Amino acid sequence: MNLFQNEITQGSGPTVVFLHGFLGTNADWEPVCSNLTDLHCIAVDLPGHGKSPFEEKMDLDIEAERFVLVGYSLGGRLAMRYAAEHPERIKSLVLISAHPGFTSDAEKQKRLLSDAKWAELLLELPIDEFLAQWYDQPLFHPYKPDLSMRRMQNKEALAAALMHYSLGKQPRYETNGALVLVGERDSKFRSLYTNPVIIPDAGHMAHLENPKAIASEILKRISL
């Protein structure tokens, strides 16, 4: 399946492809890309999100032979999978608040049960009520994202994506060589990595809370 793309900037620099998180859309990357005008920035809607229907296979229809791949949270996990399957296409991998995968079956089963409960709530509740409960999780405090785009999506497609791409089904990925970015307030995800780059004045949704700092780190990686 070719995902819906949003060409945010058309600079002559390297191509950078952005993958958003669960409940997001490609528009989430506009604040970051506004600081990357010299680059060719392409943001996509993940399967089951925005204008992309849900399908089990994720593919990236990118003209550039090699590109920088940036992913946040769910998008970061899908970026790790894509990079593992297509290493020849990845110029650099940038992960923002992305879990590399559990190390035990018990952790995976616990996450699958949790995601199943959230998927059930997503289908049962009005979308505004579900969004309020989702973003009330301690992981996101105190930041509250703009919900206007999130409330316009297809609940059945989102629930299918949540379960199909559950962290409980994900293998453990090797992240050596990737640029790992974590918000300074995101203690949970900071503990997952030995030496992540810390984004100041940000929590889990670092790309929305401090997009300028995220853009700066991407530029540093590209200039190496």
Side-chain angles (χ1 to χ4, degrees):
M1 179 183 72
N2 294 329
L3 304 178
F4 180 79
Q5 298 182 11
N6 179 13
E7 191 175 44
I8 299 179
T9 65
Q10 302 180 33
S12 58
T15 297
V16 186
V17 179
F18 294 86
L19 307 181
H20 61 76
F22 179 60
L23 297 175
T25 70
N26 59 50
D28 285 355
W29 294 108
E30 290 176 359
V32 171
C33 294
S34 68
N35 293 282
L36 299 172
T37 55
D38 291 337
L39 306 181
H40 183 199
C41 294
I42 300 172
V44 304
D45 284 337
L46 294 182
H49 293 73
K51 296 181 180 179
S52 293
F54 172 73
E55 291 189 19
E56 295 186 356
K57 176 67 175 177
M58 186 195 85
D59 196 11
L60 296 176
D61 185 21
I62 307 299
E63 291 186 5
E65 290 186 10
R66 299 180 72 235
F67 50 86
V68 178
L69 185 57
V70 181
Y72 157 72
S73 196
L74 168 61
R77 295 194 282 111
L78 292 179
M80 284 185 268
R81 188 175 82 171
Y82 187 89
E85 295 175 350
H86 306 280
E88 74 285 352
R89 301 209 65 191
I90 304 303
K91 184 176 296 185
S92 187
L93 179 63
V94 181
L95 306 172
I96 305 169
S97 309
H99 201 302
F102 293 124
T103 57
S104 74
D105 290 339
E107 290 175 305
K108 291 182 179 181
Q109 185 60 31
K110 182 178 179 181
R111 179 57 180 257
L112 279 171
L113 291 173
S114 174
D115 284 347
K117 291 178 181 179
W118 278 112
E120 184 178 353
L121 283 175
L122 176 56
L123 295 174
E124 291 180 352
L125 297 176
I127 187 62
D128 282 355
E129 188 172 340
F130 174 83
L131 291 172
Q133 291 193 30
W134 179 266
Y135 288 111
D136 193 43
Q137 295 181 84
L139 180 65
F140 300 109
H141 288 179
Y143 183 75
K144 297 293 184 182
D146 180 2
L147 301 181
S148 58
M149 292 294 293
R150 285 159 170 74
R151 63 168 56 98
M152 296 171 61
Q153 302 195 68
N154 183 292
K155 295 200 300 179
E156 288 74 16
L158 289 173
L162 176 61
M163 291 308 302
H164 182 69
Y165 297 115
S166 172
L167 180 58
K169 298 179 180 179
Q170 175 183 305
R172 178 81 176 187
Y173 288 115
E174 178 59 61
T175 58
N176 288 343
L179 172 61
V180 177
L181 308 177
V182 183
E184 67 172 342
R185 296 193 301 269
D186 190 357
S187 58
K188 178 179 178 180
F189 277 72
R190 286 180 64 173
S191 68
L192 297 176
Y193 294 93
T194 303
N195 292 302
V197 175
I198 304 303
I199 301 300
D201 303 318
H204 188 68
M205 304 185 80
H207 62 311
L208 294 175
E209 297 173 73
N210 195 344
K212 188 173 182 178
I214 293 289
S216 176
E217 294 299 334
I218 292 172
L219 284 173
K220 288 179 187 177
R221 170 53 65 99
I222 290 174
S223 65
L224 291 177

